[in-house]
């Protein structure tokens, strides 16, 4: 008699998730973690707490993220991608002065309009310097800020970045972050309009006197 075909044994446990299901799960983890970080502070949130909020086991999270800081770095990347995508759509200007000013205003306005993003990226408690260094030393992150470097080079009329160009870039970024943080964390003070402060910074970089404003 002919043998009956061998039946493939069923795998125990839950069926394998599809790629789209995994992507949705990863997005859900990020969204849930971001809400908890903002409400309770990064330092007070654990992987176990994130898992409980989602309704899964802590071990399930480690299939998607190696650690809590890994989730936070992913959120940082998402925020910066959103920010620089917005900057790239700003109206272009042939005049270097206007280009740098528009970038500065766009950068500061983004953070002021989304203070929760600023706090998530720059004010998360419990984040160590090594954790930050691994992120800011990332070539992809550094490359995003080249948009400011290019604008400052155009302002200087120089083809190759010099040490002075680096000083100007650091000064400008420090100014932008100071303006954003002051408006976000000390909002009760009547600060001058960001646009006006940024204009002063751009004029200083271009060698023009503030009285020319």
């Amino acid at each position: 008699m002919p043998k009956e075909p061998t039946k493939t044994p069923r795998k125990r446990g839950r069926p394998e998730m599809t790629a789209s299901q995994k992507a949705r799960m990863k997005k859900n983890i990020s969204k849930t973690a971001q809400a908890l970080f903002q409400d309770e502070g990064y330092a007070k949130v654990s992987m176990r707490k994130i898992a409980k909020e989602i309704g899964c086991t802590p071990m399930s999270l480690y299939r998607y993220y190696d650690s809590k800081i890994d989730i936070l770095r992913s959120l940082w990347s998402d925020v910066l991608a959103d920010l620089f995508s917005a900057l790239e759509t700003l109206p272009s200007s042939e005049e270097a002065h206007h280009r740098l000013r528009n970038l500065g205003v766009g950068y500061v306005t983004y953070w002021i309009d989304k203070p929760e993003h600023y706090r998530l990226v720059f004010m998360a408690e419990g984040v160590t310097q090594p954790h930050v260094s691994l992120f800011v030393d990332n070539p992809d992150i550094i490359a995003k800020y080249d948009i400011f470097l290019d604008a400052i080079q155009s302002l200087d009329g120089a083809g190759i970045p010099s040490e002075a160009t680096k000083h100007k870039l650091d000064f400008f970024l420090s100014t932008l972050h100071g303006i954003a943080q002051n408006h976000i964390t000390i909002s009760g003070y009547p600060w001058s309009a960001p646009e006006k402060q940024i204009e002063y910074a751009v004029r200083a970089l271009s060698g023009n006197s503030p009285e020319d404003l």
Side-chain angles (χ1 to χ4, degrees):
M1 294 180 65
K3 295 182 179 180
E4 293 184 3
T6 304
K7 295 182 179 180
T8 304
R10 293 183 179 180
K11 294 183 179 180
R12 295 182 178 181
R14 295 182 179 180
E16 182 72 17
M17 295 177 70
T18 65
S20 61
Q21 288 174 326
K22 290 179 181 179
R24 285 197 298 270
M25 180 60 174
K26 190 167 186 177
K27 185 176 181 179
N28 188 27
I29 294 171
S30 295
K31 184 178 180 180
T32 302
Q34 181 174 353
L36 289 172
F37 293 160
Q38 290 171 353
D39 292 343
E40 303 181 23
Y42 172 81
K44 295 181 180 179
V45 177
S46 64
M47 292 289 273
R48 182 177 296 277
K49 192 175 188 68
I50 297 171
K52 182 179 179 181
E53 191 72 17
I54 293 173
C56 66
T57 65
M59 288 304 298
S60 297
L61 299 186
Y62 290 103
R63 299 175 186 170
Y64 302 91
Y65 293 99
D66 293 335
S67 62
K68 185 175 69 167
I69 190 62
D70 192 31
I71 299 177
L72 183 60
R73 287 199 196 104
S74 176
L75 292 171
W76 287 345
S77 294
D78 291 343
V79 169
L80 291 180
D82 183 47
L83 164 61
F84 283 96
S85 176
L87 293 184
E88 289 171 358
T89 62
L90 291 174
S92 59
S93 174
E94 294 183 0
E95 294 189 27
H97 171 274
H98 290 153
R99 175 61 175 162
L100 185 58
R101 179 187 180 278
N102 290 343
L103 286 172
V105 172
Y107 188 82
V108 169
T109 300
Y110 178 90
W111 296 123
I112 292 176
D113 288 347
K114 300 182 178 181
E116 71 283 359
H117 285 181
Y118 186 89
R119 291 189 173 92
L120 181 71
V121 175
F122 299 110
M123 300 175 66
E125 296 181 1
V127 178
T128 66
Q129 188 58 45
H131 287 154
V132 176
S133 297
L134 286 173
F135 181 77
V136 299
D137 290 342
N138 186 321
D140 293 336
I141 300 300
I142 295 173
K144 291 182 184 297
Y145 281 89
D146 282 347
I147 192 172
F148 291 103
L149 180 63
D150 293 342
I152 290 175
Q153 281 184 257
S154 297
L155 192 68
D156 288 345
I160 301 175
S162 64
E163 186 177 359
T165 306
K166 174 64 165 57
H167 293 333
K168 289 182 178 182
L169 174 64
D170 291 348
F171 162 75
F172 192 60
L173 292 178
S174 296
T175 300
L176 298 183
H177 281 278
I179 294 171
Q181 182 152 334
N182 284 343
H183 277 266
I184 291 170
T185 63
I186 320 175
S187 58
Y189 181 82
W191 298 104
S192 300
E195 296 84 354
K196 196 69 174 178
Q197 296 181 62
I198 292 167
E199 182 70 23
Y200 267 75
V202 173
R203 293 281 179 157
L205 290 176
S206 62
N208 294 324
S209 171
E211 284 71 23
D212 295 337
L213 294 173

